[in-house]
Amino acid sequence: MTEARPESRRMTISDPQVMRALAHPARIAIIEYLSSRDGGGTATELAEIAELSPSATSYHLRALAKFGLVEQAPSRGDARERVWRAISPGVMFDAGRTAGPEARAAEQALVEAHAARDMERIRDWLRRAGSEPAEWYEVALFSDTLLLLTAEEMAGVNEAVSAVLEPYRQRRRRADPPPGARTVSVQFHAVPLP
């Protein structure tokens, strides 16, 4: 059984070294998985998620721990078992408006790693869409909408979208999901165009 912890706020990362450490597909997968579950996971459990061997996954877990992103959790009963959990239920990264070239490059590498993962999820959906049940096929959505907003309005849109998504976060619903619930990837990007 894992020890209960108070719900933490999202962690914001601006350190270029930490952003570079996170810009690895396996580490992104590990953080995403651990952030969505209270019970954590072992290197063996996470190896399938990271698509690596348990020993390679252990290496990545130790690196994430070095940067304060994961920690060892209490054992689930087997003292030989090493359980890991995320430090925060969510991670945001922001080099900062006045960041130098090193921080900008690290932030760009991390954003590109996330974008590649998101694009692969879309490609995976398109490969299997025809074999999905009709109710899931019909609700999948790809949308690219141009809005005309002030900075204040854009902040409001971002807050409204976050508020709509919050009650459905996997971490909140995992203990008692409604019948038929599936993990769904929602990507929301709001960036001003030139």
Side-chain angles (χ1 to χ4, degrees):
M1 177 132 190
T2 58
E3 149 188 316
R5 294 182 300 157
E7 192 68 21
S8 305
R9 297 186 52 80
R10 289 184 182 273
M11 176 188 298
T12 300
I13 296 169
S14 58
D15 183 325
Q17 189 176 11
V18 178
M19 285 191 279
R20 275 193 304 280
L22 268 174
H24 186 286
R27 292 178 185 176
I28 291 170
I30 290 167
I31 288 291
E32 180 181 67
Y33 181 87
L34 292 177
S35 295
S36 69
R37 286 158 176 78
D38 285 327
T42 65
T44 301
E45 294 164 356
L46 292 163
E48 185 176 335
I49 303 300
E51 299 179 356
L52 298 171
S53 69
S55 61
T57 303
S58 290
Y59 166 80
H60 288 292
L61 284 163
R62 288 189 306 275
L64 291 168
K66 175 182 160 189
F67 291 109
L69 300 168
V70 301
E71 65 185 0
Q72 270 194 264
S75 173
R76 298 182 211 157
D78 181 354
R80 296 171 297 160
E81 180 181 65
R82 193 173 202 183
V83 180
W84 296 87
R85 65 182 175 194
I87 297 288
S88 175
V91 176
M92 294 173 38
F93 41 90
D94 181 4
R97 192 167 163 268
T98 60
E102 179 189 6
R104 278 280 163 243
E107 181 181 48
Q108 183 172 346
L110 184 51
V111 168
E112 288 175 2
H114 275 270
R117 185 224 30 207
D118 294 345
M119 185 52 66
E120 184 50 38
R121 286 178 169 170
I122 291 168
R123 286 186 187 110
D124 178 58
W125 165 257
L126 293 172
R127 283 190 292 269
R128 62 187 164 75
S131 61
E132 284 286 333
E135 67 267 19
W136 287 102
Y137 181 87
E138 291 167 8
V139 296
L141 173 68
F142 296 91
S143 175
D144 188 2
T145 305
L146 294 177
L147 306 175
L148 188 58
L149 303 169
T150 66
E152 185 178 312
E153 289 169 330
M154 186 169 164
V157 167
N158 291 340
E159 288 172 21
V161 169
S162 293
V164 167
L165 299 177
E166 189 60 34
Y168 304 102
R169 287 193 185 278
Q170 193 172 40
R171 185 179 189 101
R172 287 179 177 260
R173 300 187 96 194
R174 182 158 291 287
D176 189 26
R182 288 174 66 175
T183 299
V184 173
S185 172
V186 176
Q187 294 122 29
F188 173 71
H189 312 276
V191 294
L193 299 178

